[in-house]
Amino acid sequence: MATRSAAVAAAPTARGRLRRAQILEAALGLFAERGYNAVSLRDIAAASGITHPGLLRHFQTKPDILEAVIEDVEARTGALWSGVPAGERRSAIIQRWNEEDPARAGLIAMLAGEAGPDGHPAHDRIAARYRRVRALTVDEFRAREARGDLLPGVDVTGAAVELLAGWDGLGLIAHYLPIDIGAALELREAQLSEAPTGEPHPASAAELPDLIAAVDPDDLGSIRRDQIVADAMALFAERGYLATSMQDIADRVGVSKAALFHHYPSKTDLLTAVLAARDAEIGQLGTARPLATAAGALRDAVAGARRNAAERPGLIEIYAVLSCEAAAPSHPAHAYFSARFARVLDYFAALFRAAAEEGSLRPGLDPDAEARWFVALWDGLQFQWMYDPDEVSIDEHLSAHLDRVLVEGH
């Protein structure tokens, strides 16, 4: 009898459930706006309209709140997913629903990269989410295949990985530049069902854009390639920029904090050096041979992705973590990534236009739309690779995509 009374006493009251829901809604908004690392328990308490001790009666730690927020978002998304008839094109439907409350999509977009390193409290949860959603999308594509809504020969597993990757990548880009994610998803879904049609472009020589100008801007200044930058890069990849202190970096380097500040007067200065170092390394790992065609340049970009994954996986992690963490407009690297995305999208748009001019892009495809999807796909594949490196191959999926959009033999 005493045990039953204790259980009844511990049951949440209606008021307690309401307060918990308010906390989760406030945390969702803050995490989506600033990123997980930039939000404190006191921030969540203030946004919920309660005291810090009052918050602790419901949640003891910030990871507990994050776990509950993700669970709540996934439950709502899962309910919507289950309500769509089997074989329907769910991605655009869910995206339009997400746009009614941008915090829902914003949270997952930020966590995709921020939770990539082992040790983040959401790492295992996001890894499990990717595996589950990929499996659900494979089932959806098989149902569409059975009713004749997929082109013959579509690899449903590969298509599922790539649709989710492109979706994630578009969500990231949308934090920096205006982009219609729903329209891009609808176009990609349509291309899985119908081959594009159009007149071939008369083949001619095309002027290729400059990749270095896209990833290595002049305004970053000189790069100090020293142990400080290397160790800061590793720490930012492991923990994110906001969760890493200058003392952490000084300890990793083995110098005093005063010595660290002598080289870099602020953490923002060091972040700038780390980002510049990463872009410089990407450039140095690039091709050393002249490329005569746009199709060759696109294929070589994929070869670069293969080299990065094999030789410098840390470069992928630092980009994925910081590009998601910096999605918050208040982050010191937000302007950097906004400018970088604009340059990279311009570069690939010019490259796909050059592919159309030389006759290597399949007729009926829009070069600008293909550029957006290619960049988004690449970013999203990097996220999935961080959680399942043995299951998701960035370069293989990018190569398969180029096989579909380039004319055979290019």
Side-chain angles (χ1 to χ4, degrees):
M1 187 67 174
T3 302
R4 183 176 181 275
S5 297
V8 171
T13 64
R15 182 179 178 183
R17 289 193 295 271
L18 177 60
R19 179 64 75 190
R20 178 185 172 89
Q22 290 172 336
I23 293 170
L24 294 182
E25 196 64 26
L28 170 62
L30 288 172
F31 291 155
E33 178 188 353
R34 305 181 194 173
Y36 172 78
N37 286 330
V39 176
S40 69
L41 286 174
R42 293 188 184 278
D43 293 333
I44 298 170
S48 305
I50 61 176
T51 64
H52 183 230
L55 175 70
L56 295 179
R57 284 197 289 271
H58 296 274
F59 297 98
Q60 290 294 307
T61 67
K62 194 169 70 162
D64 290 340
I65 295 178
L66 179 62
E67 174 77 13
V69 166
I70 296 173
E71 184 176 343
D72 182 62
V73 169
E74 290 197 328
R76 286 188 278 170
T77 306
L80 177 65
W81 184 287
S82 300
V84 179
E88 290 295 323
R89 302 176 186 182
R90 288 185 171 97
S91 63
I93 295 172
I94 293 175
Q95 175 59 32
R96 297 302 186 195
W97 175 73
N98 279 339
E99 289 168 2
E100 297 173 6
D101 181 5
R104 280 194 298 254
L107 174 73
I108 299 302
M110 279 192 167
L111 286 177
E114 191 177 343
D118 289 333
H120 190 284
H123 178 87
D124 291 343
R125 187 65 185 254
I126 298 299
R129 176 186 179 274
Y130 270 125
R131 289 191 291 271
R132 183 175 64 257
V133 176
R134 280 199 300 264
L136 288 170
T137 307
V138 167
D139 290 343
E140 174 192 336
F141 283 164
R142 284 180 177 150
R144 287 174 58 182
E145 184 179 45
R147 71 181 197 185
D149 189 35
L150 286 184
L151 288 169
V154 168
D155 172 13
V156 294
T157 300
V161 170
E162 291 165 27
L163 181 67
L164 296 174
W167 194 354
D168 279 344
L170 291 167
L172 176 62
I173 296 170
H175 279 87
Y176 297 99
L177 301 171
I179 188 169
D180 189 337
I181 301 175
L185 290 172
E186 287 169 357
L187 176 61
R188 195 54 44 181
E189 291 270 27
Q191 290 179 347
L192 289 170
S193 301
E194 290 183 42
T197 59
E199 292 298 322
H201 195 288
S204 61
E207 182 177 351
L208 302 188
D210 182 4
L211 175 61
I212 299 302
V215 300
D216 190 18
D218 295 334
D219 59 2
L220 286 177
S222 61
I223 302 168
R224 286 187 58 86
R225 292 193 155 277
D226 55 16
Q227 195 62 41
I228 294 174
V229 170
D231 287 342
M233 184 182 292
L235 281 170
F236 290 163
E238 291 168 15
R239 308 177 187 178
Y241 169 80
L242 294 172
T244 302
S245 69
M246 290 294 271
Q247 186 64 62
D248 295 332
I249 297 167
D251 292 343
R252 175 71 68 94
V253 176
V255 299
S256 68
K257 194 158 71 167
L260 184 62
F261 278 115
H262 172 74
H263 293 286
Y264 297 98
S266 72
K267 195 167 75 158
T268 303
D269 293 330
L270 183 50
L271 174 62
T272 299
V274 165
L275 293 171
R278 180 201 177 270
D279 277 351
E281 289 196 43
I282 290 293
Q284 289 177 1
L285 290 173
T287 182
R289 60 186 175 83
L291 296 169
T293 66
L298 287 166
R299 295 288 187 187
D300 195 72
V302 173
R306 184 183 308 116
R307 289 191 294 270
N308 293 341
E311 301 172 18
R312 292 301 307 274
L315 295 179
I316 298 175
E317 292 174 355
I318 188 66
Y319 171 82
V321 171
L322 289 180
S323 63
C324 287
E325 187 182 83
S330 58
H331 194 284
H334 185 83
Y336 166 84
F337 279 105
S338 293
R340 189 182 193 281
F341 271 118
R343 284 189 301 271
V344 170
L345 285 171
D346 284 347
Y347 166 76
F348 278 106
L351 200 54
F352 276 100
R353 283 194 293 270
E357 290 175 16
E358 71 187 17
S360 60
L361 184 67
R362 289 191 184 279
L365 295 179
D366 174 57
D368 290 337
E370 291 307 314
R372 283 191 296 272
W373 186 259
F374 189 72
V375 173
L377 177 62
W378 196 332
D379 280 351
L381 287 170
Q382 289 181 150
F383 298 153
Q384 292 191 48
W385 173 85
M386 287 196 298
Y387 296 96
D388 291 301
D390 295 331
E391 297 295 324
V392 177
S393 170
I394 299 170
D395 65 282
E396 287 180 10
H397 283 288
L398 289 176
S399 290
H401 176 70
L402 289 181
D403 287 343
R404 290 190 292 274
V405 301
L406 296 179
V407 174
E408 188 174 354
H410 288 271

